[in-house]
Every structure is written in C-alpha cells, then in structure tokens.
Amino acid sequence: MEKGSKTLRITAHELESRDLWPLLREMEEKGWLERLNLLDCGEGYSLEIEVRAEQDIEHSERLVKDYLEGKTILGNSPRTARDVGREIVETQTVRVEQGKIDKLLALAGELIVSTNVLTHLVRRLEDLGLPVEMVREFKEYQSSLNRTSWGIQDVIMEMRLMPVGFVFERFRRVVRELGQELGKKVQFKVLGDEVTIDRNVAAIIYEPLLHLVRNALDHGLEGPEERIRSGKPEEGELLLQAERKGEHVVIAVKDDGMGIDAGVVKSKAVSRGLITQEQAERMGFNEALELIFAPGFSTKDEASAVSGRGVGMDVVRETVERLGGKVMVRSELGVGTEVALELPISMSITKVVLLDCGGLYGIPVGEVKEIVKVEASRLHSLKESEVVVLRETIYPVVRLSRVLDSRAVGVEGNELTLIVLLAGVAIAVPKVLGEQDVVLKNLPSQLSHLNLFTGAAILGNGDIALILDTSIFGRMV
C-alpha cells in the first residue's frame, strides 16, 4: 500500500486478498472517503482511495492496514474486492474536469450562435430572390444543423447537472449543531433531493440557503416549552424541498414555527426609518413581508451568532435575481413560514424577446406573460405613475425609452407595444423584433455597475444585445 498526502493506493495483489466493500462503507460512514479511482498499472488494476482532508489520511491508513492484515473485522458482504474493482470498470464512466465541460459548453454555445448566423443568411437569400428550391434546401440544412446543435448542447448540459441533494446533505450537520446550540429540538427533512440543477447554480445558492436555514432555526422555530404551550409537538420541523417546474427548479425552506408577525415587521421598519407610521397603517400583509428584504433589516435588536451574519434577506434576493430567479415568501402567524427560491436549471443558453429601443435589448422569454398592442389612450395616471387595465387586471407601465434615456421613436405614438411580465409590470417598448436563442455572457468588470442588465449576447448577425434584468422594473413602480 502506497500513501500520498490525501491518497492511499492499494495494489492489485492486495485487491485479490480481501473484500474491500465493508472497508469502503466504513470509511464513508466516518466521513473520510472522498472518491475512488481505479488505475491501470499494466499488470492489473490498483485502487486509489482519496480522502476528504489531509488530517484523515493517518486514520484511514491505519484502518486500511489493519483491515488488510486481518486485524480488524468490518461487516459482512458476499462481494469480493475483485467484484468491487470490476463494478468500477464496468460502469463505463469517465472522469472529466469541470473546466473542460465548461469549455465544451462554451463551444456548443458558439455553434448555436453560428446557426443563428445561418438563419440570418437564409433570410438574406430570400430577399435576393434566389430560386425557391435553392432557398428551401438551405432552410432544411439550417434546420438540421440547428437540431444537432441543440442536441449537443442538451447532452453537455446534462453533464453539468447534479442532484440538489448534494447541497441539501450539507445542512444536516448545520441543523443538528445549531439546534443543540439554541436548545431547540428539530426534525430535519429533505424532499426532492433527486432533482438536478447546474453545478454553478448549486455552488452559488449554498450561502443564501444557509442564511434561510439559520433564520428558520433562530427566528422561526420556537423552543420546546413554547411549542408545547402552543399545542404543537416539542420537536419542530424544518423542511428543505426541491421541485422541478418547467425550465426552473423551486427550492423551498419551510418551518412549522411561529410565522412572521406583520405588526412586528412594520413596527421595526418604522423605528428604523424605512417607512412612516402612516405608510405602516395602510400597508397590507404581503406588503409588510416585502420589508424583510430591506438592507440590514431584522426583527431582532442585535444580530446573533446564528443569523444576521452580514448576509441579509436583501443579499439572498440579490443573489437569486442575479441568477435569473426570484424569491417568494409565504407565512402564517402561529403556523410557519416558507421561503421559496425559483432558479433556472442552467444559466448559459436561453431564449429572449429581442427589442429595438435605440439599441438592441433582450428580455428572457420565461419572464414574459404576453405581448400586446394597445391604444395610448388606454393608459391612465395613478399617483404620478402610468397604469393600464388588461382583462380586468391593473398593470403599472414602465416606458423603456425613459429608463434607458433613449431617443428611440415609436413608444410615444398612438399605439403602444406592451410586454407584460410575470412580475406584474408592463414595459412599453418601441419595437419587438422577435425571439431568438442566445448564449448569455457576463458583463465585463468595467460594466458591472450597470445593474439594469444581467448580461449580454452576440446575435447571429454579429450585433450585441444587452439582456435586461426584469426584477428592476418591479421596483420602479
């Protein structure tokens, strides 16, 4: 057996002599095992065991050595070490670095951009009056290439996906230790851990979820005595749940605690100068819940070591919206609270509605409810804002040309084109160009201050479109 800083290599001869399955299971239960690598040594295979931390290597070496020498007996399994090695070989899996998959996905994105270029060229050929048969052949080739490009992209996307359960499992220890620290009995449950999500998204959402879990333990769940007085079981319940909805994943943190007291929230907001007493009195329950997203807001006078660690609900919302998602809060006093994060499965390629407003802009199709044209006379003034009534629903109207300080014409005419967002806001735009699949690119650091945009995309004809952050419009009304 050979030892590295974080690895133990068991030779082919040693593999023949012992059943390693109980050993591997023991290492996994102790939290030492990171991964297994089967290495071809020419004369046979050797098994490389990688541990999670360097301080685990000494314990792992002692356990493996004692087990191989027969000094330690672990469990009982009918499979031999050769069976374990054969199973690893026959899984037909290949380990690929994340960076290579990212590069492959970037190339697939460029391929999709190229197919968009071809679409643009086909339209030009039609305008030039080429024979119909020739244009038809070009269109068939373009359609075939488009299907192939998206097929490649879909396969690569599947390679980037991982079960959200890998993120959820990290919270078991957090809940157990914080529950003991706070003197609260907590039953931690997980649902939907098999739902898959992009690895990059999973890495980013850990901190927001950690804050929500800490908040639920600190602010939401009551202590055993208080729960008994309220007629509840002394053991509180904290649930992490994931659910696939179309091209999004909804991750919810639910507790059966005391719920959010809207009166307390409004009182704290008034004392901190966020709203006036008059505004608080007119404010409904859902409006009061929005106050928890104010920077630095807390219902506690002092931040504890559990929650309030510099990552407030405003940062949670900002992080989720930067990913193209949204945060929803539901609460009932005395029953519990649910905070749900709606996240895109992937952040790379998306379909957008393209707009011309003195420049090219895009809005993700997934954020659009409908696109309608209305007479300008249907707009009404309400508290220094404009609104429109569509099918008995009132929508605040934001004129994109004014937001962008653009001199684009068309929006001030007698007829308005409105893009109605799922967020409940209508955006008046000069011209809608249609829909297109685009590869999203992050804005360079020099433009990171432009919080109106989530990124940019290169179109088929080489033009660049800026992708609008639709969450901004909801805050303008």
Side-chain angles (χ1 to χ4, degrees), residues 261-276:
D261 190 329
V264 172
V265 171
K266 289 189 284 187
S267 176
K268 286 291 182 182
V270 171
S271 66
R272 293 174 183 268
L274 298 175
I275 58 174
T276 64

Side-chain angles (χ1 to χ4, degrees), residues 181-193:
E181 180 181 336
L182 295 168
K184 297 179 179 180
K185 296 182 178 181
V186 185
Q187 182 181 14
F188 181 62
K189 293 183 178 180
V190 169
L191 291 178
D193 54 344

Side-chain angles (χ1 to χ4, degrees), residues 182 184 186 211-223 226-227 232 236-238 254-261 299-300 306-307 331-338:
L182 295 168
K184 297 179 179 180
V186 185
H211 177 74
L212 296 179
V213 168
R214 287 176 173 268
N215 260 0
L217 290 166
D218 194 18
H219 297 281
L221 293 175
E222 313 95 329
E226 185 178 350
R227 289 182 64 85
K232 297 180 179 180
E237 182 177 298
L238 180 59
K254 303 178 183 180
D255 67 69
D256 66 345
M258 64 184 73
I260 298 176
D261 190 329
T299 55
K300 291 193 173 184
V306 177
S307 57
S331 186
E332 185 176 346
L333 193 61
V335 177
T337 301
E338 174 186 348

